[in-house]
Amino acid sequence: MITTYVGVGSNLQRHKHIEAAINELAGLGEGLRLSTIYECESVGFDSHAFFNLVVELQTELNLSELSQTLRDIELRWGRDSQAQKFQDRMLDLDIILYGDTVSPAAPKLPRPDIYQYPFVIQPLYELCPTLSIPGAQQTIAQVWQQAKGLEALKPVELWFSVN
């Protein structure tokens, strides 16, 4: 089993798609843990606010299988197969960390979003503050301490139960 961290986001029908994502991810492994869900403004384009969180789980899927499975889930829940980076999302699932894997190829790991976006580092900090980032000389807590924009994140009360 590999511990992986998956970023989950949606800015269209947010409640429906976040809940669907959690239910789908629960079927990919065990030990599912959720960060707080945060509402934040869209980044890079002007649109509806996003709900974002990070999910931790242990899976037997290899990296390629996990990546393809997440893509299939996105498409099943209405993501446009030609979706670009800065546009509305029914559902966005990104592998943030996959065990101690460091990969410069797609999916790039650790995902650079750890260093760029408050909606990634804050949830990771909740789930695994002492984790050393693979290939880096920093822990999640050290990156979090230097993060900017954390105050813009608005916690969202969980509206569903996690099995």
Side-chain angles (χ1 to χ4, degrees), residues 116-155:
Q116 298 171 329
Y117 299 118
F119 59 82
V120 175
I121 193 59
Q122 176 63 40
L124 277 176
Y125 178 74
E126 292 174 20
L127 293 171
C128 58
T130 62
L131 182 70
S132 292
I133 299 171
Q137 301 300 315
Q138 293 179 297
T139 64
I140 295 296
Q142 289 169 322
V143 174
W144 178 83
Q145 289 169 347
Q146 298 175 4
K148 294 180 177 26
L150 296 172
E151 68 283 348
L153 299 175
K154 298 175 192 140

Side-chain angles (χ1 to χ4, degrees), residues 60-123:
E60 291 184 357
L61 296 174
N62 67 40
L63 181 55
S64 177
E65 291 168 334
L66 179 60
S67 184
Q68 185 58 55
T69 300
L70 296 181
R71 178 77 172 149
D72 292 344
I73 293 168
E74 289 175 336
L75 295 173
R76 187 166 45 252
W77 285 96
R79 180 167 175 163
D80 179 354
S81 64
Q82 303 301 314
Q84 301 300 308
K85 183 165 177 67
F86 296 115
Q87 71 181 67
D88 292 322
R89 296 276 191 263
M90 294 285 195
L91 187 56
D92 191 27
L93 302 172
D94 296 317
I95 303 169
I96 307 295
L97 297 166
Y98 181 82
D100 60 2
T101 301
V102 175
S103 172
K108 188 170 184 176
L109 295 172
R111 191 168 178 92
D113 294 358
I114 293 170
Y115 304 98
Q116 298 171 329
Y117 299 118
F119 59 82
V120 175
I121 193 59
Q122 176 63 40

